[in-house]
C-alpha cells in the first residue's frame, strides 16, 4: 500500500499543524490539491507521508474527520474542500469503509468526499510550517490551538514526544 494520503478540509495551515503533531507522520506537504470531474479546481490540502506500522490509515482518517468541519457544507467548501484524496484503488476502498464506520461518532452526516488525487501545487515557502514558525500569531491561537487541544484530549496516544508545547499548556 502507498504510504501517503492527502487531506483537505479547512485551512492548510491548520491541517498541516495537526498532522505534523502525530507520531508516525514522516512529512507533511502543504499546498493545493486537485482531483477529477467536478473537483478539478485546486483546494487547500496537505499530503501526509506516514509509517503505517506507527500510525494507521484508519487513525489518520479519524483524526482528519474530527479536526475539521467534516459535517458542514459551508460556503467556503470550494476553497476548503472536505476530502480524502487517495493514491490507489485499495486506499479508495479502505477510506470509504473507514468513513462509513466513523459516521456513528458524528451527530450529522459526514460530507467529506473520497476523491482521486490528481495534482498538487505546493504553498509558497513563507507559508510552509506556518504553525511551527508562528505559534503565537492570532490566527494560530484562534484556529490551530483548539485543534491541537482536541488532539491532546482525544488522540494523545498518537502525539509526538516533541509535540508543539504552546497550546497544550
Amino acid at each position: 500500500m502507498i504510504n501517503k494520503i492527502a487531506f483537505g478540509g479547512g485551512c492548510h495551515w491548520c491541517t498541516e499543524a495537526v498532522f505534523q503533531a502525530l507520531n508516525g507522520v514522516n512529512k507533511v506537504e502543504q499546498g493545493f490539491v486537485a482531483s477529477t470531474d467536478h473537483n478539478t479546481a485546486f483546494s487547500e490540502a496537505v499530503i501526509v507521508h506516514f509509517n503505517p506500522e506507527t500510525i494507521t490509515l484508519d487513525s489518520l482518517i479519524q483524526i482528519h474527520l474530527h479536526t475539521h468541519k467534516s459535517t458542514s457544507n459551508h460556503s467556503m467548501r470550494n476553497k476548503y474542500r472536505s476530502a480524502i484524496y487517495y493514491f490507489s484503488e485499495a486506499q479508495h476502498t479502505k477510506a470509504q469503509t473507514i468513513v462509513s464506520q466513523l459516521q456513528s461518532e458524528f451527530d450529522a452526516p459526514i460530507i467529506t468526499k473520497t476523491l482521486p488525487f490528481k495534482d498538487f501545487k505546493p504553498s509558497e515557502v513563507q507559508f510552509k510550517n506556518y504553525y511551527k514558525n508562528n505559534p503565537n500569531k492570532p490566527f494560530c491561537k484562534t484556529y490551530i490551538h483548539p485543534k491541537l487541544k482536541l488532539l491532546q484530549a482525544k488522540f494523545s496516544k498518537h502525539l509526538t514526544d516533541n509535540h508543539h508545547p504552546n497550546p497544550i499548556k
Side-chain angles (χ1 to χ4, degrees), residues 56-117:
T56 64
L57 183 61
D58 300 55
S59 294
L60 292 170
I61 291 173
Q62 183 179 28
I63 288 165
H64 177 59
L65 294 177
H66 281 281
T67 55
H68 83 283
K69 293 182 165 114
S70 61
T71 60
S72 174
N73 201 10
H74 55 73
S75 63
M76 295 296 288
R77 276 294 172 222
N78 287 337
K79 182 177 181 183
Y80 305 121
R81 184 181 304 125
S82 181
I84 300 164
Y85 299 97
Y86 58 88
F87 290 87
S88 70
E89 224 18 75
Q91 267 190 346
H92 178 210
T93 302
K94 187 161 178 70
Q96 286 185 309
T97 301
I98 294 165
V99 171
S100 292
Q101 291 169 343
L102 293 173
Q103 179 59 65
S104 64
E105 295 182 18
F106 296 86
D107 295 331
I110 295 170
I111 58 118
T112 305
K113 298 174 183 174
T114 306
L115 301 169
F117 177 91

